[in-house]
Amino acid sequence: MPAESIASSTSSIPEEEEPRLKYQRLEANTGDLLLETEAACLCVSEKMLALGTQDGGVHLLDYDGNEVRRFDAHKGPVNDLCFDETAEFIGSCSDDGGAMVHSLYTDEVFKFKYNRPIKSMALDPRYGTRKTREFMTGGLAGQVALNSRGWLGAKDNIIHAGEGPISIIRWAGTLVAWANNVCVRVYDTAAHTRIGRLDRPKSSNAEGTSCQLFWDGEQILYMGWHHTIKIARMRRKGAADLDSLRIVDVVASFQLDCLVVGLAPFGADLAVLVYHTALEGSSPRAPNSLAKTATMSGRGTSDAVGTSTELQHERPQLKILTWAHEEIAADALSITGYEEYEASEYALAACHLPRTRASSHSRVTSGAAASSSGRQATKWWADGEEPIYYVVSPKEIIVGRPRDGSDRVTWLLQHSRFEQALHIIESDVTLSQATREQVAGQYLEFLVSQERFEEAAALMPRLLKDNAAAWERWVYIFAQWRQLPAMAPHIPLQDPSLRQTAYEMMLHAFLLSRADHSILLALVKDWPTHLYSIPTLLEAVLHRIRAPGGDTEALLQVAAQLYQLQGRYDLALAIYLRQQQPAVFDFIQEHQLLPVLHERVAQLLSIDEERAIQLLMDQYDEIPASTVVPSIQAEEADAQQVGDRQQAEEWRRKLHHYLDQLFQKDQTAGADYHSLQVELYAEYAPSQLMALLVSSQWYPLEAALGVCQQRGLVREQVFILGRMGSSAQALHLIIQRLADIPQAIEFVQMQRDDELWELLISLALESPALTGELMDNIGGYVNPLRLLQRIPHGVAIEGLRDRLVRVLLSLGLVVPSLASVVPTASSKGQLALTSQALMLNPPLALLLLLA
């Protein structure tokens, strides 16, 4: 029968615990044998099994259940069997009072007869190598007898008595443990003394269940009695003295809610065979010899006709517990006929390799650690040392083995525990590739069936690893579900590298939805180009761009990226310019694309005016003003055509900015556009216009004059009129519009035309203020008398006296004291100056004016 049908969890399906063992029935000859009789006990060695039956037979079996040898040893049921450590001798005992030791490889047999039923027997582990050939027996007589061979033959030595029947004896190394009605005692055969005891639980009296003992090496003793489990450690009183007497320390103890009918180590944990009971009614079935162990302790009552009041029978469970009583697993065993069996009709035997003192000592600490964590490694045994657990019932024997990685994966997959299965295949390197592929396939199929595509895709690197065929299979599956976008971030680009069609399928899947175009762009940027065909993808991209709703910004960038990969930088540049990409400047410089800009150069100014101007200045010899200016003007014209005055004005301002920077870079580079630049300076930077007018020879004077007149730029008009030879007109502007005598004098001086001095004097005499200012400044250029002689009679000039003094001083004349000339002066400090006085005697006239 399949293992999963033999054991099942006791909890509900959603909470079902994973079994720690796999089970199968011991078949071959064993099945036929138990059809004729019933199993009474089982002993396990590293070489073989020994099965004792109700008819007194001892059957040696291999691990598959094939009978190797048989002894008709007893007339009554076999109560106990034991091997020595080399499995060369086997001991057996029975209710017939017999104890026998058979050599397995010779015809040597030792028979011993006792007056009372023998319930348990233990061979000295060194039985085959010691001349004393010691063993111990115990039973209803309540005595523990040590049988030892000497010069006069074998002899029993009673080492303990008086505490009731002996139900079980177990021997490990030099230590022996036995159970009676009172306690479990531990005896040191080397020191010939009892070293400790474990008291019988008080709760066991009511049920009368027998004690279960199991040695793990010589240091750990497991005891199960009724509902109680105790774990004891053997240690020496003197830690440094290896010859000191050992004592017994209980390191763990806990209660169960069920009967303990067998126990054995399970790595750092504990395997416990348990039995649950509930009052049901009566049954006519009499207990077999396995049950008699309990009967001798008072378990159960019976009437005269053999009908006993019994409990409801449930399936026995094999539990895995930590030393801290944490339940790791609980497997209910489907034993044939379990409905009729009592707890005492079950037994647990284990093939658990003996351990050295050091390894046993390490189990104490590892057991404590496992107890605190509640878990241990999946495979805690070494290869070739797999423990085996035998659950014995009257009519069949169930074999339990720890589940290896493959077994665990199978069970977990059957129960849809995929994450746990994944953890196992990642941690167990011994699992086959087929098992790994099975986990990956079923896990992904489950997630896809739940439409959890993102989660499935994220797990693919862990599940599929370097399996290229599996990756390609899932690409096709996700394509059918139209879920390739979820898979894209996780698909491998190398180790493994998939076929080109797989990558192209994924890339093409992102074309349909506008929302996926940005993902396609990221993939094209990140993926090596050898993974897909660039022309094929570009053709599909352009087709999608031309379709309705296809010209998304991201898809246009994809096209630009593909053009760039093909080396068609001009086409990529056109897209970047259309999209106003700030990175276009670096792209242009990297690929030296300025010469191909042509009429599109104005688009650079729309992206980043400052960077565009700087780029054009750096490369103004490669892309001259004759290219830039028409491009900007075309944009301005387009804006005007659509009635966007604000945009047109913005383009005109950018044109000014460009020409201004170009003029500062090289005054001749934009000479063809200086006429336009005059207009732009007049409009946007009038203060900078004069620099252009002065340094440039490439603008029409009449047009420039008109612009300056329109904008009211007088100084610029003066300069232009001067360049045109219209000095008189220019001088009129200076006097009449600017009233700037110093500039007028400078202008006249520069013209080197004496007639202009007369014109200047004439224009200045029209205003007393200008006349006075001219008096202050004319002395250094012409004779001041030319001005003074033409001053009209009666003109009142403010500060005239001081100004006359400065004129006299400028002429080198000495000015005498005014008091010696005229005793009084006008109270206003002003005099009437007549042209006749100046003509008769100019110095005297000036003195009179000062008076």
Side-chain angles (χ1 to χ4, degrees):
M1 182 180 292
E4 300 305 331
S5 65
I6 295 176
S8 63
S9 173
T10 59
S11 58
S12 60
I13 291 177
E15 301 297 330
E16 185 176 358
E17 286 283 351
E18 177 192 351
R20 286 305 179 97
L21 295 102
K22 55 185 177 181
Y23 302 89
Q24 65 182 35
R25 287 181 171 83
L26 189 64
E27 299 290 355
N29 301 136
T30 307
D32 296 336
L33 174 64
L34 295 181
L35 289 176
E36 301 174 357
T37 183
E38 292 184 350
C41 58
L42 182 74
C43 186
V44 183
S45 74
E46 296 180 35
K47 297 179 180 179
M48 65 189 74
L49 311 178
L51 174 64
T53 59
Q54 292 289 334
D55 59 6
V58 176
H59 306 266
L60 299 182
L61 311 172
D62 63 16
Y63 283 110
D64 294 325
N66 298 300
E67 187 174 73
V68 177
R69 190 172 178 182
R70 175 175 180 172
F71 304 111
D72 293 322
H74 302 279
K75 296 179 180 180
V78 178
N79 288 331
D80 201 4
L81 296 168
C82 54
F83 287 101
D84 68 337
E85 64 183 7
T86 61
E88 294 181 359
F89 293 88
I90 184 170
S92 62
C93 63
S94 171
D95 276 353
D96 64 4
M100 302 183 68
V101 179
H102 286 82
S103 172
L104 302 182
Y105 300 103
T106 67
D107 295 330
E108 186 179 9
V109 179
F110 301 98
K111 298 181 180 181
F112 304 88
K113 188 65 176 177
Y114 297 92
N115 294 326
R116 300 290 298 275
I118 304 300
K119 293 300 182 181
S120 187
M121 179 179 182
L123 291 183
D124 182 350
R126 302 157 295 174
Y127 184 89
T129 59
R130 299 186 70 188
K131 293 181 180 181
T132 55
R133 298 290 179 92
E134 293 180 337
F135 65 88
M136 284 190 182
T137 57
L140 296 184
Q143 297 176 337
V144 177
L146 174 61
N147 186 283
S148 180
R149 181 173 300 180
W151 291 104
L152 301 177
K155 179 182 178 181
D156 282 338
N157 296 310
I158 306 302
I159 62 173
H160 183 74
E163 292 181 337
I166 307 301
S167 60
I168 185 171
I169 303 174
R170 293 293 179 259
W171 197 330
T174 61
L175 300 180
V176 182
W178 65 81
N180 51 44
N181 283 353
V182 177
C183 64
V184 171
R185 292 196 177 272
V186 181
Y187 181 84
D188 189 338
T189 59
H192 304 289
T193 183
R194 294 188 293 271
I195 63 173
R197 60 180 283 171
L198 302 173
D199 291 333
R200 174 177 181 164
K202 295 180 180 179
S203 61
S204 66
N205 293 328
E207 297 291 342
T209 54
S210 61
C211 177
Q212 307 296 324
L213 297 175
F214 194 100
W215 281 104
D216 184 10
E218 292 186 57
Q219 286 194 306
I220 304 297
L221 175 64
Y222 297 92
M223 182 201 81
W225 207 337
H226 193 242
H227 293 285
T228 302
I229 291 177
K230 291 184 178 181
I231 304 172
R233 177 172 67 106
M234 311 298 127
R235 67 177 181 86
R236 297 190 180 274
K237 289 184 176 180
D241 186 2
L242 298 179
D243 295 326
S244 63
L245 189 64
R246 285 180 282 195
I247 59 176
V248 180
D249 284 338
V250 176
V251 295
S253 178
F254 50 86
Q255 300 286 323
L256 303 182
D257 59 356
C258 46
L259 301 178
V260 178
V261 295
L263 75 170
F266 188 83
D269 300 317
L270 189 62
V272 184
L273 182 64
V274 301
Y275 181 84
H276 291 270
T277 60
L279 186 62
E280 172 64 22
S282 63
S283 169
R285 190 182 197 286
N288 63 15
S289 63
L290 281 176
K292 292 177 182 178
T293 304
T295 303
M296 70 178 184
S297 302
R299 169 166 169 72
T301 60
S302 59
D303 56 22
V305 296
T307 301
S308 62
T309 300
E310 298 197 1
L311 301 177
Q312 178 181 350
H313 306 295
E314 298 183 0
R315 290 186 296 172
Q317 289 184 340
L318 188 58
K319 293 189 174 186
I320 306 300
L321 307 174
T322 68
W323 287 17
H325 192 200
E326 179 184 356
E327 184 175 295
I328 298 174
D331 300 335
L333 306 176
S334 296
I335 303 290
T336 302
Y338 73 90
E339 300 90 347
E340 302 179 2
Y341 297 150
E342 298 285 348
S344 55
E345 294 180 276
Y346 295 105
L348 177 65
C351 177
H352 197 274
L353 294 181
R355 300 173 182 270
T356 63
R357 285 186 172 88
S359 62
S360 293
H361 177 71
S362 67
R363 276 194 45 73
V364 176
T365 56
S366 65
S371 297
S372 62
S373 65
R375 293 293 182 267
Q376 60 179 322
T378 300
K379 183 179 179 182
W380 40 265
W381 63 91
D383 292 337
E385 297 182 3
E386 177 190 32
I388 307 175
Y389 301 86
Y390 298 87
V391 178
V392 182
S393 66
K395 285 296 183 180
E396 65 184 359
I397 299 172
I398 303 300
V399 183
R401 289 182 171 85
R403 305 171 74 86
D404 59 18
S406 180
D407 297 321
R408 295 194 63 200
V409 164
T410 300
W411 189 91
L412 291 169
L413 292 180
Q414 291 173 348
H415 292 76
S416 300
R417 300 185 183 180
F418 300 105
E419 187 61 33
Q420 292 174 263
L422 175 57
H423 175 72
I424 291 174
I425 66 172
E426 288 179 332
S427 59
D428 191 343
V429 296
T430 65
L431 291 175
S432 67
Q433 182 62 26
T435 300
R436 300 176 187 278
E437 292 177 1
Q438 181 186 17
V439 173
Q442 292 192 29
Y443 197 174
L444 292 176
E445 287 169 3
F446 169 77
L447 293 174
V448 169
S449 69
Q450 301 289 316
E451 298 188 6
R452 293 156 60 182
F453 300 104
E454 296 286 346
E455 187 177 348
L459 281 170
M460 285 182 182
R462 292 177 62 190
L463 291 169
L464 305 182
K465 295 188 180 297
D466 58 353
N467 190 336
W471 274 104
E472 292 174 359
R473 173 175 173 265
W474 283 102
V475 168
Y476 295 126
I477 292 175
F478 267 56
Q480 293 173 352
W481 283 89
R482 295 187 177 182
Q483 292 295 327
L484 284 176
M487 189 177 178
H490 310 287
I491 191 169
L493 306 182
Q494 61 181 1
D495 301 327
S497 180
L498 312 185
R499 287 181 292 181
Q500 195 176 74
T501 53
Y503 295 109
E504 290 180 352
M505 180 182 298
M506 181 160 290
L507 292 173
H508 284 256
F510 292 98
L511 289 172
L512 184 60
S513 173
R514 293 169 58 91
D516 293 335
H517 291 172
S518 59
I519 302 177
L520 176 60
L521 175 61
L523 295 181
V524 169
K525 288 181 176 180
D526 294 341
W527 284 10
T529 56
H530 69 272
L531 297 179
Y532 58 93
S533 169
I534 295 177
T536 302
L537 179 60
L538 179 58
E539 182 181 356
V541 168
L542 295 177
H543 183 269
R544 181 68 181 96
I545 290 175
R546 290 189 288 266
D551 58 342
T552 63
E553 293 296 312
L555 197 58
L556 287 170
Q557 289 186 52
V558 171
Q561 186 71 20
L562 294 173
Y563 278 135
Q564 187 175 345
L565 293 173
Q566 287 184 320
R568 301 162 72 179
Y569 301 115
D570 55 336
L571 297 178
L573 176 60
I575 295 176
Y576 291 144
L577 289 172
R578 171 183 170 180
Q579 292 188 305
Q580 304 283 290
Q581 290 286 334
V584 69
F585 297 99
D586 296 330
F587 184 74
I588 290 172
Q589 290 180 311
E590 179 182 356
H591 301 288
Q592 300 179 354
L593 296 176
L594 270 176
V596 304
L597 281 173
H598 301 299
E599 68 278 1
R600 294 177 298 204
V601 69
Q603 297 179 35
L604 289 176
L605 296 169
S606 298
I607 300 172
D608 188 329
E609 184 176 340
E610 293 299 328
R611 290 194 66 182
I613 296 295
Q614 184 60 49
L615 178 64
L616 293 172
M617 293 304 102
D618 292 342
Q619 306 292 334
Y620 75 92
D621 53 341
E622 292 188 30
I623 182 164
S626 58
T627 298
V628 178
V629 173
S631 177
I632 299 176
Q633 289 176 326
E635 296 291 339
E636 179 185 0
D638 291 343
Q640 290 174 344
Q641 188 174 0
V642 298
D644 191 345
R645 293 183 178 179
Q646 182 178 356
Q647 187 64 26
E649 176 64 24
E650 180 65 16
W651 277 112
R652 184 170 178 81
R653 185 197 62 76
K654 291 178 180 178
L655 178 60
H656 158 68
H657 187 191
Y658 165 72
L659 288 174
D660 174 50
Q661 294 297 312
L662 183 62
F663 180 73
Q664 295 181 36
K665 183 78 173 180
D666 185 341
Q667 294 182 353
T668 63
D672 294 342
Y673 300 98
H674 281 185
S675 177
L676 173 61
Q677 200 165 0
V678 169
E679 299 178 19
L680 296 173
Y681 271 134
E683 184 175 355
Y684 294 105
S687 61
Q688 297 177 260
L689 175 58
M690 184 62 74
L692 173 68
L693 296 175
V694 172
S695 59
S696 175
Q697 303 292 328
W698 294 281
Y699 59 89
L701 296 176
E702 293 81 0
L705 179 62
V707 170
C708 293
Q709 289 174 342
Q710 182 180 0
R711 295 288 179 178
L713 303 176
V714 179
R715 297 184 187 278
E716 287 76 5
Q717 293 179 51
V718 170
F719 176 79
I720 296 172
L721 288 171
R723 291 190 64 175
M724 295 174 63
S726 302
S727 302
Q729 187 177 352
L731 187 58
H732 273 85
L733 282 175
I734 295 173
I735 297 300
Q736 296 172 357
R737 296 286 298 277
L738 300 178
D740 189 344
I741 293 299
Q743 182 178 351
I745 293 174
E746 181 182 1
F747 177 78
V748 172
Q749 181 68 19
M750 291 178 61
Q751 300 301 317
R752 301 182 184 279
D753 185 349
D754 192 62
E755 294 182 1
L756 289 179
W757 284 109
E758 293 300 324
L759 178 60
L760 173 58
I761 292 172
S762 299
L763 294 174
L765 290 175
E766 294 178 1
S767 168
L770 292 177
T771 303
E773 189 174 358
L774 184 58
M775 290 175 62
D776 293 337
N777 294 280
I778 198 172
Y781 302 99
V782 295
N783 191 339
L785 295 180
R786 296 178 61 177
L787 170 61
L788 297 177
Q789 291 174 350
R790 295 185 56 186
I791 295 176
H793 177 71
V795 175
I797 301 173
E798 185 176 358
L800 178 61
R801 182 174 56 187
D802 295 335
R803 285 175 169 156
L804 287 174
V805 171
R806 287 195 293 273
V807 169
L808 291 175
L809 293 175
S810 67
L811 295 173
L813 299 177
V814 178
V815 181
S817 172
L818 295 180
S820 63
V821 180
V822 181
T824 61
S826 171
S827 61
K828 296 182 180 180
Q830 295 182 343
L831 299 176
L833 181 64
T834 62
S835 58
Q836 294 83 355
L838 284 171
M839 287 185 293
L840 293 174
N841 192 342
L844 180 60
L846 289 175
L847 290 174
L848 291 174
L849 285 172
L850 290 173

